[in-house]
Amino acid sequence: QVTLRESGPALVKPTQTLTLTCTFSGFSLSTSGMCVSWIRQPPGKALEWLARIDWDDDKYYSTSLKTRLTISKDTSKNQVVLTMTNMDPVDTATYYCARMSSSSWPTFDYWGQGTLVTVSS
Amino acid sequence: SYELTQPPSVSVSPGQTARITCSGDALPKQYAYWYQQKPGQAPVLVIYKDSERPSGIPERFSGSSSGTTVTLTISGVQAEDEADYYCQSADSSGTLFGGGTKLTVL
């Protein structure tokens, strides 16, 4: 059974750095073809893909946000971490992590429940 | 920069056919995928590779492609189909979502 769960602060201040952790089970990110992405959704707005990390540690970032994002993985802990620097109120959103596998590529076959991050002073 | 463009909203009465479009310059070269998202829930894939339907998705959901536009068609719309729908495309280096379309069942 594949599950993903996002964790991190619910509230961050402007200019701070956000660190989110995706803890997953039911698959290994060392398995060929496995990938985990971060996707966010501001309240009432559209989905926005942020970053992806692959089983071979290749990393990909949204062009518009790449200077602020870092994605990493800890295969032994079954975790993927996303950091976003210089947070702004417009970054207020629900942040999801989602799995992409070789059989589902390029779609996301499993999603976490999402975690709402509010940026406010 | 490359974008996927969807109408913000589509409204239909129960039993009618809803068509939601997604336009993008890369769509002739890339497949499109469609997700349904209901309030407070994560998205669910309803169409992949332009027109294929995952197992468990009702037959009333179908997809088509023509040039730079892909279309999600929901035939015989039911009240439970009221949701936001997002198209998605991807290449080896990233993923792009459309702006989403709110389907209202009148």
Side-chain angles (χ1 to χ4, degrees), chain A residues 37 39 41 45-49 52 54 60-61 96 100 105-108 111-113, chain B residues 33 35 37 41-43 45 48 86 88 90-100:
Chain A
S37 277
I39 297 147
Q41 186 172 36
K45 296 189 177 181
L47 301 166
E48 179 182 21
W49 176 78
R52 187 182 97 215
D54 295 353
Y60 304 91
Y61 297 99
Y96 295 97
M100 185 187 291
W105 195 94
T107 65
F108 305 101
W111 297 65
Q113 64 189 21
Chain B
Y33 305 81
Y35 295 85
Q37 186 183 33
Q41 298 181 18
L45 185 70
Y48 67 98
Y86 294 91
Q88 178 217 328
D91 58 25
S92 60
S93 62
T95 292
L96 182 65
F97 289 102

Side-chain angles (χ1 to χ4, degrees), chain A residues 47-88:
Chain A
L47 301 166
E48 179 182 21
W49 176 78
L50 301 176
R52 187 182 97 215
I53 190 164
D54 295 353
W55 80 100
D56 57 2
D57 211 37
D58 280 349
K59 300 162 188 173
Y60 304 91
Y61 297 99
S62 162
T63 302
S64 61
L65 292 167
K66 64 187 304 181
T67 60
R68 299 174 53 204
L69 296 174
T70 303
I71 192 169
S72 63
K73 64 181 174 73
D74 186 332
T75 304
S76 65
K77 293 183 179 179
N78 281 351
Q79 291 181 334
V80 171
V81 175
L82 180 77
T83 62
M84 180 181 291
T85 60
N86 195 25
M87 293 292 285
D88 183 271

Side-chain angles (χ1 to χ4, degrees), chain B residues 29-81:
Chain B
K29 303 183 294 291
Q30 295 175 354
Y31 285 120
Y33 305 81
W34 290 95
Y35 295 85
Q36 175 194 68
Q37 186 183 33
K38 295 183 177 180
Q41 298 181 18
V44 173
L45 185 70
V46 294
I47 292 289
Y48 67 98
K49 289 186 179 179
D50 291 348
S51 60
E52 301 293 322
R53 194 174 53 249
S55 61
I57 300 301
E59 291 184 5
R60 63 181 181 272
F61 287 86
S62 64
S64 60
S65 175
S66 179
T68 59
T69 299
V70 293
T71 302
L72 172 68
T73 300
I74 310 172
S75 304
V77 166
Q78 300 182 6
E80 66 197 51
D81 299 329

